[in-house]
Amino acid sequence: MKNLLRYIIVIILAAAAGGIIWWQFNKKGVIRNQIEKAVARGTDSTYYIHYDSSRIDEIAGNAVFYNIVLQSDSLQQQLYTDDTAGMARTIFNVRIEKLSITGANIPSFLSKNTLEAQTIEIVRPVITLINTGKEEPVQFTAADTLALYEKLTGKFKRIQAGEIKIIDGTIAFARGKKSPHTGLQGVYVDLKNLKIDSTRNYDNIISYLVKDVRATVKTANVKNEKAGRLLTFEGIEYNAPGRFLEVNKFLQKDLRTEKVIISLANSRVTGLSTNAFIINRVLKADSLSTDGGILGFYRGKKAGASNETLEIDNNFFDEAIVKNIRLGNTTLSLYNRANVNEAPMVLKNLKFNASGIDSIYTGTDMLKLIGNSNWDLSAGGFSFLTKDKIYKVDIGPVLLDKFNNAVSVQYAALTPVISEAAFVRSLKFQKDLFNLRFNNIRLTGADVQKIITDREIIADELSFQPLLNIFNDRTVTPDTASKMGKYPHQMLKLMKPYMYFKTVKINNGNVVYKERGALSKKTGDVSFHKVNAVISNMTNIDRYVKKNSDMIMKVNCKFLNMANISSVWTLPLNSPNGAFEIRGNVGPFDGTKLNPVIEPLGMGSVNSGNIKSYVFAMQGENLKADGEALLLYDHLKLKLLKNTGDSNKLETKGVTSFVANILIKDKNPSGGYTRKADLGFKRVMTKSFFNLVWKSIFAGAKTSIK
């Protein structure tokens, strides 16, 4: 009996030893066979898997596989023979340099078709996904994720891992036989506590990307041939538990023009809704901040629209909803969508902070986007040349504050880039050359949202300092085009954008009109210094005109830096015939101080004269002006001049001057009688509104001395 028991034990031990020896020699084949069957079963034999070698320690539950390949030769063959009808929408090609598994339950893997492990480490995988369906926007969907996972796992009954790591991976996306349009290099992923079984199916795999994954990507490139864009990301970090996404550098390039449209550094999204981010391709977050760089918008008109819009290309997400945005020091370029070769308008040193922002989607009108939020924007200004290349426009540092309803611009300038002589040589007909600057422009009580969204500038007060220089050469052939309908209040009605200012304040301005006389060939300056004005009810919006139709301007200034002028201008905004009314008071001043103006422009000179005051009131419309004037003066003596041909000298008309001084009255009042004069002038239709006003005032003065 003892011998029998001994034999049985020996046989069992021998069998066990034989089994162990057999297992040691055959375990790799068994496991290889089981893996191949699992993949074939999970892909209906479409895909196969193989690897070069392996190391397996079934006692400790450790295994290492080298140079794994998962692919489908049949699908690849169909693709390259253009036989894609009825084939799978996505083809997967996977190569893994090394796959390490620790703490695995190998018996359960072999007998129960389950995969359990403490850690799974995937080293330098290269994954290519080829889309064989219709061309669609670049995206990596949940369906793609699940399909890939099924092909890798073979539909195990249960998959459980304490940690999965991907080290230095490469992922590429392609369409058909084209080269990859999207590539990710240096992919590192850390996924904790993965578990999939009958209670947690494949549909829940995506939830791990939402809740537990941490990932970094060294570089990512997305090429959108249809839109002509190349997107480059560097230094990406996605942290699902921390709910943030960081990108060290983001670059968007226009492939057609080779222009860099966007280049931003150190961008960070916090409070990220990871569920919306991964599953729905919606960027929903508490805040987006970036150190700034370069940002490009497109301006253009949509079909049927009368106004231009500003759009940002959003090729990254179907929609973006970000509550708060902080943009650091940035150069903003505004490109003309209708003419991609046109130089952009550039706004430098821009900083932007916003809260309560609406959603952003492809083609979003940025004006409406920022109009419906609380924000402030500051910028260093921008400049550009006008289309005729005569002027340069400079806009100085800008601050827009929607929260406090305020806008300020340090300066706005229109400066000629050519000389007066070059400008005159370019003319066929007389035309003004402008050199304009407006300092300290401020809007208070401004409806900034309407400015942005409705193109209506509405504010309680606009204030600024104007410095205006205007030049005209009367030796050039006069322009015979009619200026009917071009009075200031008529032009205001036609202006864009629409505007309403309850009050406009002009502070300490200067206006200089320089003219070269047609007869004298000399130039004279008419100047107004220390110009201060208050304009009420300045508007071209019908609803405000219906409430109050009169724009009233009260002006005080120094004429030729010597005589005080005060005037009140009433300009009816609803007048059908350009009606206006002006009342003014000038004086006192020394009449001889007028000579620098009247000698070159009026071919006359004042030998003596004391102007005590000049009071006038005129009413006018499109065709004429009339009214009444009162000029008080004494000791007036004049002389008339003629051109001798010497460009530096005008000669006195002796006899004519003598006769003129006999005919004029040298003072008013005289003989106990104060003369009033009719002020009136028939408009020359080729001349401006201010020409009519000036000629009418001059006509009143000339009548007063006769």
Side-chain angles (χ1 to χ4, degrees):
M1 186 69 180
K2 290 182 179 180
N3 289 334
L4 178 60
L5 182 60
R6 186 181 299 114
Y7 288 136
I8 292 173
I9 292 172
V10 169
I11 291 170
I12 292 172
L13 291 174
I20 291 171
I21 294 171
W22 180 89
W23 171 251
Q24 293 300 321
F25 280 99
N26 293 279
K27 62 182 179 181
K28 294 183 179 181
V30 171
I31 292 175
R32 180 191 295 268
N33 184 59
Q34 190 71 6
I35 293 172
E36 291 174 351
K37 284 182 178 180
V39 170
R41 183 172 60 250
T43 64
D44 298 324
S45 299
T46 303
Y47 283 80
Y48 71 87
I49 188 170
H50 73 258
Y51 49 88
D52 288 351
S53 60
S54 62
R55 288 187 290 107
I56 299 171
D57 180 354
E58 70 280 6
I59 304 300
N62 300 332
V64 181
F65 302 89
Y66 297 94
N67 298 322
I68 301 170
V69 175
L70 170 73
Q71 65 184 39
S72 172
D73 289 344
S74 61
L75 293 178
Q76 204 76 22
Q77 181 64 26
Q78 291 180 55
L79 175 65
Y80 282 96
T81 57
D82 295 317
D83 181 21
T84 57
M87 70 182 295
R89 176 173 175 169
T90 305
I91 301 174
F92 300 89
N93 291 323
V94 180
R95 296 178 180 272
I96 300 174
E97 184 175 303
K98 178 182 176 182
L99 174 63
S100 298
I101 302 174
T102 60
N105 188 339
I106 293 178
S108 179
F109 168 76
L110 295 173
S111 63
K112 298 180 181 180
N113 202 28
T114 63
L115 178 59
E116 300 175 1
Q118 292 177 0
T119 63
I120 299 174
E121 189 175 86
I122 304 170
V123 180
R124 281 183 283 279
V126 178
I127 303 171
T128 304
L129 294 89
I130 304 172
N131 190 327
T132 63
K134 65 179 181 179
E135 188 168 314
E136 294 179 346
V138 176
Q139 56 182 322
F140 183 27
T141 66
D144 292 329
T145 308
L146 299 177
L148 175 59
Y149 214 93
E150 289 183 8
K151 289 170 176 54
L152 287 172
T153 61
K155 292 185 178 178
F156 285 100
K157 293 179 180 178
R158 183 172 75 236
I159 304 172
Q160 183 173 339
E163 183 177 23
I164 297 178
K165 290 184 177 181
I166 297 176
I167 299 173
D168 197 15
T170 300
I171 302 175
F173 300 82
R175 292 190 183 95
K177 292 183 288 186
K178 294 182 179 179
S179 58
H181 55 72
T182 301
L184 288 77
Q185 295 82 36
V187 179
Y188 292 79
V189 178
D190 188 0
L191 177 60
K192 304 284 188 182
N193 302 316
L194 176 68
K195 183 178 181 181
I196 302 171
D197 56 22
S198 59
T199 63
R200 304 178 72 178
N201 57 32
Y202 285 104
D203 291 336
N204 288 326
I205 292 176
I206 203 73
S207 67
Y208 290 97
L209 303 179
V210 172
K211 296 178 181 178
D212 298 314
V213 73
R214 294 174 174 85
T216 62
V217 179
K218 185 177 291 185
T219 60
N221 295 283
V222 181
K223 188 176 183 180
N224 189 326
E225 293 182 354
K226 186 175 181 180
R229 299 284 186 269
L230 176 64
L231 313 179
T232 301
F233 303 81
E234 295 181 7
I236 303 171
E237 180 179 357
Y238 169 63
N239 188 310
R243 299 178 60 211
F244 70 81
L245 173 69
E246 291 183 348
V247 181
N248 290 343
K249 184 177 181 180
F250 167 63
L251 187 75
Q252 177 174 317
K253 187 177 183 180
D254 189 321
L255 295 174
R256 291 165 293 193
T257 63
E258 295 298 314
K259 293 176 181 175
V260 174
I261 304 299
I262 300 175
S263 178
L264 298 175
N266 300 322
S267 302
R268 180 179 176 90
V269 178
T270 59
L272 181 66
S273 174
T274 50
N275 187 71
F277 178 70
I278 294 295
I279 298 176
N280 301 322
R281 294 182 73 240
V282 172
L283 178 61
K284 187 176 182 180
D286 291 337
S287 67
L288 167 64
S289 64
T290 176
D291 287 352
I294 297 172
L295 192 59
F297 289 152
Y298 284 91
R299 60 183 178 88
K301 290 183 180 180
K302 293 184 178 180
S306 58
N307 295 316
E308 286 190 339
T309 62
L310 296 182
E311 295 179 2
I312 184 171
D313 282 344
N314 174 20
N315 295 313
F316 332 122
F317 303 99
D318 290 335
E319 188 175 10
I321 305 171
V322 183
K323 296 178 182 177
N324 305 287
I325 290 180
R326 183 193 65 80
L327 178 66
N329 201 19
T330 298
T331 297
L332 173 66
S333 298
L334 301 179
Y335 295 94
N336 185 354
R337 190 177 290 280
N339 184 2
V340 295
N341 295 318
E342 181 181 309
M345 183 185 299
V346 178
L347 186 63
K348 296 182 179 180
N349 303 320
L350 181 143
K351 296 178 182 179
F352 180 73
N353 296 282
S355 61
I357 299 175
D358 282 349
S359 59
I360 308 169
Y361 47 87
T362 300
T364 289
D365 182 346
M366 292 304 295
L367 298 180
K368 291 183 178 179
L369 169 70
I370 62 177
N372 294 322
S373 61
N374 291 318
W375 54 270
D376 63 79
L377 177 150
S378 63
F382 61 95
S383 63
F384 59 91
L385 290 177
T386 55
K387 288 184 179 181
D388 57 15
K389 310 299 183 185
I390 294 176
Y391 298 101
K392 180 182 179 183
V393 177
D394 287 290
I395 307 296
V398 178
L399 174 64
L400 291 88
D401 187 342
K402 182 175 181 293
F403 184 77
N404 292 307
N405 295 321
V407 178
S408 65
V409 182
Q410 186 170 318
Y411 65 87
L414 179 72
T415 307
V417 295
I418 60 175
S419 67
E420 291 177 354
F423 175 73
V424 171
R425 286 195 299 269
S426 71
L427 298 178
K428 292 183 179 180
F429 303 103
Q430 289 177 18
K431 190 176 181 180
D432 291 333
L433 178 67
F434 299 99
N435 189 342
L436 313 177
R437 184 181 177 95
F438 302 89
N439 291 330
N440 303 320
I441 304 167
R442 300 183 188 280
L443 286 176
T444 56
D447 190 333
V448 179
Q449 180 165 331
K450 278 197 171 294
I451 294 174
I452 299 299
T453 60
D454 300 334
R455 316 299 199 278
E456 289 187 353
I457 305 176
I458 297 176
D460 291 337
E461 182 178 292
L462 165 66
S463 63
F464 59 92
Q465 179 197 37
L467 303 174
L468 313 180
N469 290 273
I470 305 164
F471 169 73
N472 195 301
D473 191 326
R474 297 299 180 189
T475 66
V476 179
T477 303
D479 188 352
T480 58
S482 173
K483 290 185 169 57
M484 173 72 79
K486 294 187 177 181
Y487 285 179
H489 47 312
Q490 292 173 325
M491 295 297 292
L492 175 63
K493 188 175 181 179
L494 301 175
M495 285 179 63
K496 295 288 183 68
Y498 294 113
M499 64 188 74
Y500 168 73
F501 305 114
K502 185 177 180 180
T503 303
V504 177
K505 290 185 178 180
I506 295 174
N507 304 311
N508 198 30
N510 288 329
V511 179
V512 178
Y513 176 74
K514 180 180 178 182
E515 182 179 298
R516 186 183 184 205
L519 297 176
S520 69
K521 306 296 190 293
K522 296 180 180 298
T523 59
D525 293 353
V526 180
S527 62
F528 302 87
H529 297 277
K530 298 180 181 179
V531 179
N532 292 280
V534 176
I535 306 171
S536 61
N537 193 45
M538 181 176 177
T539 184
N540 57 4
I541 302 175
D542 287 342
R543 63 181 183 272
Y544 290 103
V545 174
K546 289 178 181 178
K547 292 179 181 179
N548 182 0
S549 62
D550 287 342
M551 179 170 66
I552 298 175
M553 178 169 61
K554 298 179 180 179
V555 185
N556 294 285
C557 64
K558 281 276 190 181
F559 175 55
L560 297 182
N561 221 9
M562 62 171 181
N564 292 322
I565 297 180
S566 62
S567 60
V568 178
W569 305 53
T570 301
L571 306 173
L573 299 171
N574 61 352
S575 172
N577 65 348
F580 65 90
E581 180 180 315
I582 306 173
R583 296 178 180 275
N585 188 345
V586 185
F589 61 91
D590 180 354
T592 62
K593 298 294 181 65
L594 292 173
N595 288 336
V597 176
I598 63 175
E599 285 181 2
L601 304 184
M603 299 297 288
S605 180
V606 179
N607 280 344
S608 66
N610 179 35
I611 310 300
K612 298 177 180 179
S613 70
Y614 181 51
V615 180
F616 62 89
M618 75 171 72
Q619 303 81 40
E621 36 89 3
N622 281 329
L623 303 177
K624 63 185 178 66
D626 53 40
E628 190 175 68
L630 175 61
L631 176 64
L632 302 180
Y633 64 94
D634 57 27
H635 301 102
L636 181 62
K637 296 294 180 182
L638 304 176
K639 63 180 177 182
L640 303 180
L641 305 174
K642 63 181 179 180
N643 196 327
T644 64
D646 186 341
S647 60
N648 296 316
K649 186 176 180 181
L650 293 175
E651 187 176 280
T652 301
K653 294 180 177 180
V655 175
T656 307
S657 298
F658 174 76
V659 173
N661 282 303
I662 293 175
L663 296 176
I664 68 171
K665 296 178 174 60
D666 66 349
K667 62 182 177 179
N668 186 28
S670 62
Y673 174 70
T674 301
R675 302 182 308 277
K676 290 185 178 181
D678 289 333
L679 177 154
F681 192 78
K682 184 177 179 181
R683 183 185 182 188
V684 179
M685 299 311 297
T686 59
K687 302 297 183 180
S688 69
F689 171 78
F690 293 101
N691 178 268
L692 173 62
V693 172
W694 163 251
K695 290 291 187 180
S696 299
I697 293 172
F698 181 73
K702 188 165 72 170
T703 303
S704 296
I705 65 176
K706 290 182 179 180

